[in-house]
Each structure stands twice: as structure tokens, then as C-alpha cells.
Amino acid sequence: MRIRFIVFLLALTSICKAQSVKGKTMVFKVRAPLASCKIIFDEPHFLLEKESIIKIKIKGRNPKIKVEIKGGKIVWEKDDTYKLRFFSAGTAVVSVYQITDNGTKLIGIKKNEIKAPQFFFFGLATDSFTKVLHLGPCHIYSHSEFFKKDLPVKKFDMLYYDEVLINGKWKEKIDTLRSDTCRLTPEMRKKLNAFQPKTNKMYFYNLVCSMPDGTIRILEPVELLGLRDSAALTARPVCIFTLKRKKV
């Protein structure tokens, strides 16, 4: 016990000498705490068709930060203000990292929904019903309430599922078709005219939509569904169409 006490005194004496050798004072470095971060959205949700502004408030000793956007990109920044552009509907995640001597540390994260403009197929809006598909200059388009105008689809793909009889067995046949305009191709129109709710499925995806500023966005994939109208008193069965968001 006495030996331990002597060792302690010797160590303490060495430290005291080290701090006062030749009148110099030892400086012990203390790691600075991470900065605090506040991410501010001016909107309850982001709109796919327009750029959005966010603010990032940092409190600390002038820390270096890095900002990352999942689902979009930063197109402009000044001081604590950032302008964001998004490419597809979904969820945007804003992450703020502080750059330290030991790498980067996450100091702030916030999510917000990205809403796409309303989508239309032959006048049929997503999540609505119709017995008649209306022709127009654009078969497929979206409508922006923000810009108060229709936004044409520049090109899109269609998947068409059909049940066919092969060697005495019913099998699913899949056709992939593409249009480089906002209109269905003749082959697509042929598939639509032959559409049967019980045996066919029709998906539209890779919907490239043109914005007012000339940039493009990708709209959510949709599925065209049909139901037989059992109440219709006609010789030919009447189909009720509906459009639903669908991941292909």
C-alpha cells in the first residue's frame, strides 16, 4: 500500500513539473462539441413540378457542413438558404453533416413528401372512375395546380398482360410497348380496344413529363383497371375504368 502511495506522489510531481518547466504552461486540447442544426421547410410538402426553398440554421463555432438531398439535388445556395429540385414523387430526405478532423458527423435530418401533379389518361384522373375515355390532343398528361396548366408527357412505356392459350394451358403473355409522344401508338390503341378486365392488365411507367421551364420529371407508374358494370342494360357489357398508382 505504501509503495502505491509513493508511485502516486512521483507521478503527481512529474505532472506538476511538466506544467511549469521553464515557466511554460502545458495546453490540453479539448474537442469542440458538435454544432446544432435546424432544417426549416417553408411548405408542408414539396411539389415535383417546381423548385423548393429550405433553410438550414447552424449554431456553433463556424463549423464546416455538407448537405445531402435524397430524391433531388441542390441547384442553388446562398448563406443558409438552399433551392432544391426533385426528379420523382416520393420522400425527400435532407441530411446535414458536420465536417470534423475525424470525418463527418450527422447533425440534422428531416423528411418531406414530394407530391406529383395530377395524372390523366384519356381524361381519366388517378383514383377516379369513368365509363368513357375521352380523346384529346394528349392521351397522357399531368395537370399542375401550381402552374394552372397541363404538362404533356414526352414519352412513356406500356406493359400489357394477356392470358393466352398455349398447348392447352392458359399462360400469361407480356408485351412491352413504347411511345415517344404523349399519344398512344396504334398498337397501344389496339391493346386498349381489346382490353378485358378479367384477363388483361395494363401498366404505364417511365412517364417522362415536361415542365414549364423545359426540365423533365418522372411521374409515378399507374395501372389501368376495369370493372364490369352489372347494372348496365345494354347488349354489350360496359366497362368502368379506374386508374391507380402502381409500382411496376
Side-chain angles (χ1 to χ4, degrees):
M1 188 71 179
R2 183 176 181 182
I3 294 175
R4 291 182 180 176
F5 181 73
I6 293 173
V7 172
F8 173 76
L9 288 178
L10 290 174
L12 183 60
T13 302
S14 299
I15 292 174
C16 292
K17 286 182 178 179
Q19 291 179 330
S20 59
V21 173
K22 296 182 180 180
K24 294 182 179 180
T25 303
M26 291 184 64
V27 177
F28 295 95
K29 292 184 178 180
V30 179
R31 184 176 297 174
L34 292 176
S36 62
C37 172
K38 186 176 182 181
I39 304 172
I40 303 171
F41 298 157
D42 292 336
E43 307 162 285
H45 54 260
F46 298 132
L47 295 180
L48 180 63
E49 65 265 38
K50 79 177 190 71
E51 295 171 345
S52 297
I53 298 293
I54 68 170
K55 293 183 181 294
I56 298 177
K57 302 289 187 180
I58 302 293
K59 289 186 178 180
R61 296 184 177 181
N62 299 319
K64 293 182 180 179
I65 64 169
K66 179 178 68 172
V67 181
E68 293 184 354
I69 311 297
K70 180 182 178 182
K73 71 174 183 178
I74 300 171
V75 295
W76 177 88
E77 63 178 276
K78 183 178 181 182
D79 299 329
D80 60 356
T81 303
Y82 296 76
K83 181 181 286 187
L84 311 181
R85 178 181 296 168
F86 304 101
F87 307 115
S88 59
T91 302
V93 181
V94 180
S95 302
V96 182
Y97 297 86
Q98 182 174 342
I99 302 173
T100 68
D101 294 337
N102 298 319
T104 59
K105 300 289 184 180
L106 181 66
I107 59 174
I109 186 169
K110 195 171 183 179
K111 300 179 181 180
N112 204 14
E113 182 184 4
I114 307 169
K115 285 192 173 183
Q118 180 69 284
F119 179 77
F120 288 85
F121 173 80
F122 283 94
L124 173 63
T126 307
D127 298 326
S128 63
F129 298 85
T130 186
K131 292 182 181 179
V132 180
L133 296 175
H134 300 281
L135 293 176
C138 280
H139 297 161
I140 293 181
Y141 62 94
S142 63
H143 179 79
S144 171
E145 281 297 325
F146 179 80
F147 289 111
K148 304 298 181 185
K149 64 184 302 184
D150 293 340
L151 307 174
V153 170
K154 297 174 67 69
K155 58 183 178 180
F156 63 93
D157 292 326
M158 184 181 89
L159 285 181
Y160 188 82
Y161 291 75
D162 194 10
E163 290 186 5
V164 296
L165 191 62
I166 301 177
N167 297 327
K169 294 183 178 180
W170 288 99
K171 294 185 178 181
E172 194 172 65
K173 179 186 175 184
I174 303 174
D175 290 323
T176 303
L177 305 172
R178 166 166 287 191
S179 173
D180 291 321
T181 69
C182 64
R183 299 175 65 85
L184 271 65
T185 65
E187 183 63 21
M188 290 178 177
R189 292 282 298 273
K190 183 178 178 181
K191 298 289 187 185
L192 179 61
N193 290 333
F195 183 82
Q196 297 293 323
K198 291 185 178 181
T199 58
N200 301 137
K201 296 178 183 179
M202 190 178 291
Y203 300 97
F204 298 92
Y205 65 106
N206 290 339
L207 297 155
V208 179
C209 190
S210 179
M211 298 293 111
D213 63 358
T215 60
I216 61 173
R217 305 290 191 276
I218 305 298
L219 302 179
E220 297 172 287
V222 295
E223 178 183 5
L224 181 68
L225 299 170
L227 301 171
R228 294 292 188 189
D229 185 4
S230 59
L233 300 177
T234 59
R236 184 179 178 182
V238 176
C239 185
I240 301 176
F241 293 101
T242 183
L243 208 60
K244 295 291 183 182
R245 295 176 179 87
K246 184 76 174 183
K247 294 296 181 184
V248 178

